[in-house]
Amino acid sequence: MDAVRLIVTSRRALIASRGTPETMTEVWQAQALAQAIGSRLAVTGPPELRGEALGLTELAGRGCGVLDTPRLTIEELRAARLTELGDARQALLCLGGLLGEVSIALVGVACAADDESTYWQCMEAIDAADESRDRVREMLRRLADREEVLPEKEAG
């Protein structure tokens, strides 16, 4: 399945999640998907994105690592269904939106947390999601710079 479809599926699942355990599972799924997309971009994406894509992979992995790992079958793991990136720019735009929604959902869970462990997991995961989103923005900026340079080379 292509990245944009998986991101849309994750966004819908995050929005529909009810209660802390379900929300945390969807946050973990989103971070795992960001990690998979970063990894794919690092290997097959435009050369100017590869360093930032590696950073995204590491940050999203940290986002998964600070959360309790949900019990998911391989069929339930959206990141495992990633078969193609499609348009890198569109995938990154959608991923940035998903990561923003992840942060918002985590703020809600943190505010309602009954225990310190959940609260601090949320704080660490928010930090990872925000840093991942910064990497996505940087990759989008680099793509925009690349698109500006390419027409100049073609005209010259």
Side-chain angles (χ1 to χ4, degrees), residues 132-149:
S132 295
R133 192 169 184 210
D134 289 344
R135 293 291 173 127
V136 168
R137 285 185 184 133
E138 179 61 21
M139 286 188 278
L140 285 166
R141 187 192 63 73
R142 288 181 185 210
L143 280 177
D145 290 348
R146 177 182 174 215
E147 290 170 6
E148 287 177 12
V149 170

Side-chain angles (χ1 to χ4, degrees), residues 14-32:
L14 181 63
I15 290 166
S17 65
R18 299 289 177 246
T20 297
E22 192 176 339
T23 300
M24 296 296 269
T25 295
E26 290 308 325
V27 165
W28 190 93
Q29 286 261 41
Q31 289 283 24

Side-chain angles (χ1 to χ4, degrees), residues 7 91-101 133 136 140:
I7 294 166
L92 289 169
L93 284 169
C94 291
L95 183 59
L98 174 61
L99 291 167
E101 290 174 11
R133 192 169 184 210
V136 168
L140 285 166

